[in-house]
Every structure is written in C-alpha cells, then in structure tokens.
Amino acid sequence: MYQLKSILLSFILLFLIIPTFAQKQTFPENVGDIPFDSLQDDPGFLVCNPKQVLQYYNTTAYYKDHKKEIIKYLLDNFNTQDSFQDQNGFLTIRFIINCNGNTGRFRLFEIDSNYQPIHFKEALSQQLLNLVKQVSGWQPAVYKQKVYDSYQYITFRMKNGKIISISP
C-alpha cells in the first residue's frame, strides 16, 4: 500500500513539475543578436533582413577603411570632465549598420579593468554613445556583390576619465 501511495504521489508531482520544464525557452537566432527594444530603439530604424545580420568580421567593413578618421573624430570631440577622473575600464558600443548605411540598435557594455561589470557615469557613457551615433557615412557590408546588414562595435578604454585607446 505504501508503494502504491508513493508511486501515485510521484506521478502527481511529475504532472505538476513537467509543465514548468516544458515551457519553451526563446533564444536569439544567433548569439549576439540585438533584437529591437521599443524602450530604447528608434522604430524608424529597420534592418533589411533580420535573419541575416553579418558580424563585423564577415566582410570588409567601412570602419577598417576609415578607422583613422573615425578615431580622430571621437578623440577630437570627447570632452573629459573632472568628475570622470575615477572612471576606468572598457566601454563597448555595439550597433547595426543596415543595408542602407543607417545605424541603430545601439547597446552599451561596460566592464572594469578586471573585466567585471560596472556602470560608468551617465554623463560619460551618454557622451560616448552620442558621439558614436553622430558618426556618419557608414557603408553597408558587401559580400559577393550583395549588400547586407551588419554588426559593428567600438570599444573605448578609459583611464582616469580619459580615452587611452579605441578599438577594433
């Protein structure tokens, strides 16, 4: 009798637990995808093919060809402030260049020098984000004479509130 109760209880528990595990998890189509977020993205920015946004390393990129000019623009226009003196680490801005050369879906990733998550001061991170958004003339990715949407990123290494390097 004890075994029958035990088996019956096990089946009841299974039927209560299984639906929790059976819920479908959703993952991006590809690792690193930047899905549209109505709270932070411009609804007017559209990708041409959401299922095929190439990574920056898949094609020759405008950034590589114009890196010196872009870095000069960013360095010339960044205004450090006394309040930034304690700001150290890496601030990466990822975004999409669509097939028309427009940019959108900007995302910030911030880590300290030990690669631990941090948050830079809002004034600093917003200034860098606005500067990257203002870079114009992006060219869409081209592969085998076909134009694609692509991801791009720019990483700022900050030391005492100053930009000490920009990559890639």
Side-chain angles (χ1 to χ4, degrees):
M1 186 67 164
Y2 175 74
Q3 281 185 324
L4 185 58
K5 285 183 182 178
S6 213
I7 292 171
L8 186 58
L9 183 59
S10 296
F11 276 116
I12 290 171
L13 286 174
L14 270 174
F15 284 110
L16 293 173
I17 295 172
I18 287 176
T20 304
F21 290 113
Q23 289 177 351
K24 183 180 180 189
Q25 290 182 310
T26 57
F27 295 99
E29 187 79 22
N30 296 294
V31 173
D33 280 357
I34 302 175
F36 175 76
D37 180 347
S38 62
L39 298 177
Q40 61 182 335
D41 294 328
D42 174 5
F45 174 78
L46 301 173
V47 292
C48 302
N49 184 354
K51 293 192 179 283
Q52 194 169 32
V53 181
L54 302 180
Q55 294 297 332
Y56 69 94
Y57 50 78
N58 289 129
T59 64
T60 56
Y62 176 81
Y63 184 86
K64 282 183 188 175
D65 294 341
H66 298 279
K67 184 175 180 176
K68 286 181 184 176
E69 293 94 345
I70 293 170
I71 288 175
K72 181 177 178 359
Y73 168 78
L74 294 169
L75 290 173
D76 287 350
N77 290 284
F78 177 71
N79 296 311
T80 192
Q81 300 174 10
D82 290 339
S83 64
F84 296 168
Q85 288 181 358
D86 62 344
Q87 302 294 281
N88 298 295
F90 301 87
L91 187 144
T92 298
I93 301 172
R94 286 189 73 232
F95 55 96
I96 296 175
I97 304 167
N98 72 10
C99 67
N100 299 312
N102 301 317
T103 56
R105 296 192 191 172
F106 293 87
R107 299 292 187 270
L108 293 176
F109 297 95
E110 303 159 304
I111 57 175
D112 66 17
S113 299
N114 295 315
Y115 307 107
Q116 298 303 307
I118 60 166
H119 289 290
F120 284 95
K121 291 186 176 174
E122 187 77 12
L124 184 141
S125 60
Q126 285 304 304
Q127 183 183 164
L128 291 175
L129 178 61
N130 289 334
L131 285 173
V132 171
K133 285 181 175 182
Q134 292 169 9
V135 173
S136 61
W138 292 100
Q139 300 298 311
V142 177
Y143 179 70
K144 293 187 178 182
Q145 300 177 342
K146 187 173 178 192
V147 179
Y148 292 91
D149 306 304
S150 64
Y151 289 104
Q152 183 62 58
Y153 78 94
I154 298 176
T155 297
F156 299 89
R157 183 169 180 206
M158 307 299 298
K159 186 167 185 181
N160 301 324
K162 295 183 175 129
I163 299 171
I164 59 170
S165 69
I166 300 174
S167 59

